[in-house]
Amino acid sequence: MTLPRIVSREEWRAAREELLVGEKAATRARDALNADRRRLPMVEIDKEYVFEGGDGKATLPDLFEGRHQLVVYHFMFAPEWDAGCRSCSAFVDQIGHLAHLRARGTEFAVVSRAPYTKLLPFKARMGWTLPWYSSYCNDFNHDFQASLPGDGDGDGDGDGDGEFFERPGVSCFLRDRERIFHTYSTYERGLDGLGSTTSFLDLTALGRQEEWEEPKGRASTLGAPAGSERIRYHDEYED
């Protein structure tokens, strides 16, 4: 195993300052990329999806829980599997308290193709409390490219044998009164670095809702102070 060079404190500081230049450039580039993402057009969802969750049947608008935005994590759990994907489970393990997302009018939900009767015991085993829904009886995963036709059995014959290839992903939605829009999706390596409140907000059309964000005019969308001014202890928010 190779390790970093051993240097004096002065040499370390100089090297750290040099690296900081690149880190600041990466931050500015990330801000610009996030702004471009918020400028993406959106597609209205006119198809009805019915999911199954802890409270029974739910439609896509129901998943918003009355909020303006919805971030869905496409969790790999095929109907024939007995347990969820290990990598997806590790991803969900790192997600913090949802109160901070919700304070910015953004709901978070997990969706998988497995029947809810399989999701529920696995959710209990993992100790998760976040909303998890089954799309077993609808085309949601297929329509948003989280389940793709292919060689699910790995035989490589190209016919797919009626199976689907599962992949992890995140899809974002915006609600304008009764209308629902799809604003963004990303998959696989696009999930690198996600898990925190701000990382999820950066994928959405409204962003972090800070005054400095581009394009202008979205920080006050919720009729509340800018994003960072709304931060509270998670038990102090009014839902």
Side-chain angles (χ1 to χ4, degrees):
M1 181 175 63
T2 59
L3 298 174
R5 292 184 301 115
I6 300 174
V7 297
S8 66
R9 177 58 63 182
E10 290 71 22
E11 290 176 291
W12 181 89
R13 286 198 184 99
R16 179 67 189 92
E17 290 296 324
E18 182 178 352
L19 179 62
L20 184 59
V21 174
E23 289 178 336
K24 288 183 176 181
T27 297
R28 291 190 291 271
R30 183 188 63 198
D31 289 343
L33 182 62
N34 290 339
D36 288 341
R37 184 183 293 114
R38 289 188 291 273
R39 293 186 182 99
L40 279 174
M42 57 188 184
V43 179
E44 186 166 7
I45 306 300
D46 53 13
K47 185 174 183 178
E48 183 177 29
Y49 299 99
V50 179
F51 305 87
E52 185 174 1
D55 295 325
K57 302 297 183 182
T59 63
L60 183 59
D62 292 332
L63 270 58
F64 282 75
E65 294 289 346
R67 298 182 172 88
H68 290 268
Q69 297 191 123
L70 171 67
V71 176
V72 168
Y73 178 61
H74 301 288
F75 189 111
M76 293 195 297
F77 198 149
E80 64 273 16
W81 298 358
D82 295 322
C85 165
R86 291 183 176 88
S87 295
C88 290
S89 299
F91 182 91
V92 172
D93 277 339
Q94 69 183 342
I95 297 174
H97 209 291
L98 296 183
H100 303 294
L101 266 178
R102 291 167 174 166
R104 290 173 173 83
T106 304
E107 185 55 77
F108 181 90
V110 178
V111 172
S112 299
R113 281 203 305 132
Y116 192 69
T117 52
K118 285 191 173 184
L119 302 183
L120 187 59
F122 187 72
K123 178 181 178 180
R125 172 188 169 185
M126 296 292 101
W128 298 328
T129 59
L130 42 70
W132 198 355
Y133 298 90
S134 168
S135 61
Y136 179 67
C137 293
N138 67 48
D139 297 326
F140 184 79
N141 277 51
H142 310 141
D143 291 347
F144 292 95
Q145 291 80 55
S147 298
L148 304 175
D151 294 314
D153 55 8
D155 62 10
D157 60 12
D159 62 11
D161 300 326
E163 300 180 4
F164 291 92
F165 172 75
E166 303 288 322
R167 62 173 176 168
V170 166
S171 291
C172 300
F173 302 88
L174 178 70
R175 182 176 64 87
D176 183 11
R177 298 178 178 86
E178 303 303 318
R179 303 172 71 186
I180 304 297
F181 300 89
H182 175 221
T183 61
Y184 182 73
S185 286
T186 189
Y187 310 92
E188 298 170 339
R189 287 298 304 276
L191 306 178
D192 287 359
L194 296 182
S196 66
T197 297
T198 52
S199 68
F200 286 130
L201 290 172
D202 283 343
L203 302 182
T204 67
L206 301 183
R208 305 184 190 188
Q209 297 147 46
E210 301 283 3
E211 296 291 354
W212 54 265
E213 287 182 306
E214 296 288 345
K216 299 297 185 182
R218 300 188 186 179
S220 59
T221 302
L222 304 181
S228 58
E229 297 178 26
R230 281 179 246 158
I231 295 176
R232 304 287 185 270
Y233 295 112
H234 70 247
D235 61 353
E236 290 183 347
Y237 289 114
E238 294 182 10
D239 192 10

